[in-house]
Amino acid sequence: MPEPYDVVTMGRIGVDLYPLDIGVPLARVETFGKFLGGSPTNVAVAAARLGRRTAVVTRTGRDPFGDYLHQELRGFGVDDRWVTPVEEYPTPVTFCEVFPPDDFPLYFYRQPKAPDLEIHPSELDLDAVRAARIFWMTGTGLSAEPSRAATLAALRARSEDPAEEPRADTAADTGACATVFDLDWRPMFWDGGDRGSVARARYREALAHATVAVGNIDECEIATGEREPYAAARVLLAAGVELAVVKQGPKGVLAVHRDGSTAEVPPLPVEVVNGLGAGDAFGGALCHGLLAGWDLARMMRYANAAGAIVASRLACSSAMPFPDEVERALAEGAVPADRANGASANGACAKGGSGTRSSATGPSGAGTESPASRPSGAAS
């Protein structure tokens, strides 16, 4: 069998069409930049930028935008072998507006259905999923069939042995082998924008197979019924995970491990240009820290810094930082001014004004977006 991947992510993918004008309503924007998008896909890119071997399990339309996404994944060094086409549905696109420091409305075009919700259990390479050092899935993957069945099949493959008996040491070492549940709450993707028992029940079913849960306050409330960070972390641990990561917006991030260790890390100062994607950079850096076996405080500081760097740039996928950029931000205690002027990593430059200085890693803290969009802040 080939060498296991460091990180395999599963779920949403699409094309982000971001305005190249800051502070301009979408109706008046004249030029856009085109980028790879989708939260778990961006996490794979972020981890690849940090030197990890990554792959993504998802689906696109059989159309030019689908071709573009394959091209971008390969360019970022993310294995696209499990990115397959769906004949019936077009590749999704997402538009945003950019009003720093904390207003980044998103407009999703995923009708009549997004191809990434058409992942079938029979199509999964469960051996590769099982062997990956980290497997990353999201709440959106639980919102519709057959994606929900496929996501749960992948989770079961991670937490059960070949005889389908639960492993006694499922979550014994999140540094060597972690199954991460990004709580990723987007009500518009659920029937009726469900905020009730159906979503919570599906989340709890997935949590029983995960070793790490990560989400912001709103997402933790969906999963646990609790908004107080420590209370939410305790419920997540009781649901089965070994590590609960609660993003608290301008208060920073809280991490609580089942062994009793905790870390509460303040945000890193940054001049916010676009908070979208900060959470995905945080996620890729979290994977990097888990794989490296870092302690909680170091892991959270590093992930905060990665998120802050992306918040200082226009794009998401192409803005993911390299290790030297994260180390520089940590050493200086803030995102350096020459990297917080709206330039994305591929050279696209925002026009119409500069971002606004904020004490958070994103408009609402570690890897978060605006109230008008996804509470935990991925590109799409």
Side-chain angles (χ1 to χ4, degrees), residues 328-370:
R328 181 181 173 190
L330 287 170
E332 298 191 11
V335 176
D338 64 342
R339 300 190 183 186
N341 292 322
S344 73
N346 70 347
C349 196
K351 299 181 291 183
S354 63
T356 302
R357 192 74 177 178
S358 169
S359 61
T361 62
S364 302
T368 59
E369 291 180 2
S370 65

Side-chain angles (χ1 to χ4, degrees), residues 35-54:
F35 307 100
L36 170 75
S39 177
T41 305
N42 283 338
V43 169
V45 172
R49 278 276 169 93
L50 297 173
R52 299 300 179 174
R53 183 168 179 258
T54 70

Side-chain angles (χ1 to χ4, degrees), residues 12 42 61 94 97 102 106 117 120 133 157 159 195 197 220 234 240 244 247 253 273 278 282 291 297 299 330 377 380:
R12 201 161 62 249
N42 283 338
T94 302
E97 294 175 305
D102 60 1
L106 282 170
L117 293 175
H120 292 259
R133 297 179 70 193
S159 64
R195 295 191 68 89
S197 59
C220 287
R234 287 193 293 269
K247 295 182 283 191
V253 61
V273 172
F282 182 98
L291 291 164
M299 216 170 3
L330 287 170
S380 57

Side-chain angles (χ1 to χ4, degrees), residues 57-292:
V57 180
T58 189
R59 307 195 73 184
T60 70
R62 191 183 291 277
D63 52 33
F65 275 150
D67 295 340
Y68 164 76
L69 295 175
H70 279 278
Q71 169 190 305
E72 291 297 286
L73 286 168
R74 293 166 187 161
F76 288 126
V78 177
D79 196 322
D80 65 344
R81 71 182 61 194
W82 297 304
V83 182
T84 58
V86 177
E87 297 286 352
E88 305 95 299
Y89 305 125
T91 300
V93 297
T94 302
F95 290 87
C96 81
E97 294 175 305
V98 180
F99 297 102
D102 60 1
D103 189 17
F104 307 100
L106 282 170
Y107 302 88
F108 295 95
Y109 292 82
R110 292 169 58 88
Q111 292 80 26
K113 186 179 184 180
D116 55 59
L117 293 175
E118 280 292 299
I119 304 172
H120 292 259
S122 61
E123 299 166 342
L124 297 176
D125 184 341
L126 291 179
D127 288 337
V129 168
R130 189 180 291 112
R133 297 179 70 193
I134 291 179
F135 176 68
W136 180 289
M137 47 72 63
T138 76
T140 295
L142 303 173
S143 67
E145 295 289 5
S147 173
R148 174 174 176 262
T151 301
L152 292 173
L155 288 172
R156 285 192 292 269
R158 298 282 295 179
S159 64
E160 297 172 355
D161 67 20
E164 298 188 356
E165 293 295 330
R167 296 200 307 261
D169 61 344
T170 300
D173 185 353
T174 57
C177 183
T179 300
V180 184
F181 182 1
D182 175 4
L183 301 178
D184 176 47
W185 172 247
R186 290 189 184 267
M188 72 285 288
F189 296 161
W190 292 69
D191 290 340
D194 175 57
R195 295 191 68 89
S197 59
V198 173
R200 185 164 298 162
R202 291 182 181 179
Y203 273 45
R204 292 189 72 83
E205 186 176 4
L207 283 168
H209 299 281
T211 64
V212 179
V214 57
N216 68 17
I217 296 297
D218 291 336
E219 293 170 330
C220 287
E221 183 181 21
I222 289 297
T224 69
E226 299 283 353
R227 290 190 63 83
E228 196 282 319
Y230 280 91
R234 287 193 293 269
V235 175
L236 290 170
L237 294 177
V241 304
E242 289 292 311
L243 174 62
V245 179
V246 183
K247 295 182 283 191
Q248 303 179 74
K251 295 183 179 179
V253 61
L254 167 69
V256 181
H257 197 278
R258 179 167 291 185
D259 66 9
S261 60
T262 65
E264 194 159 9
V265 176
L268 199 68
V270 60
E271 183 176 302
V272 174
V273 172
N274 184 358
L276 307 179
D280 304 333
F282 182 98
L286 172 64
C287 291
H288 183 61
L290 288 168
L291 291 164

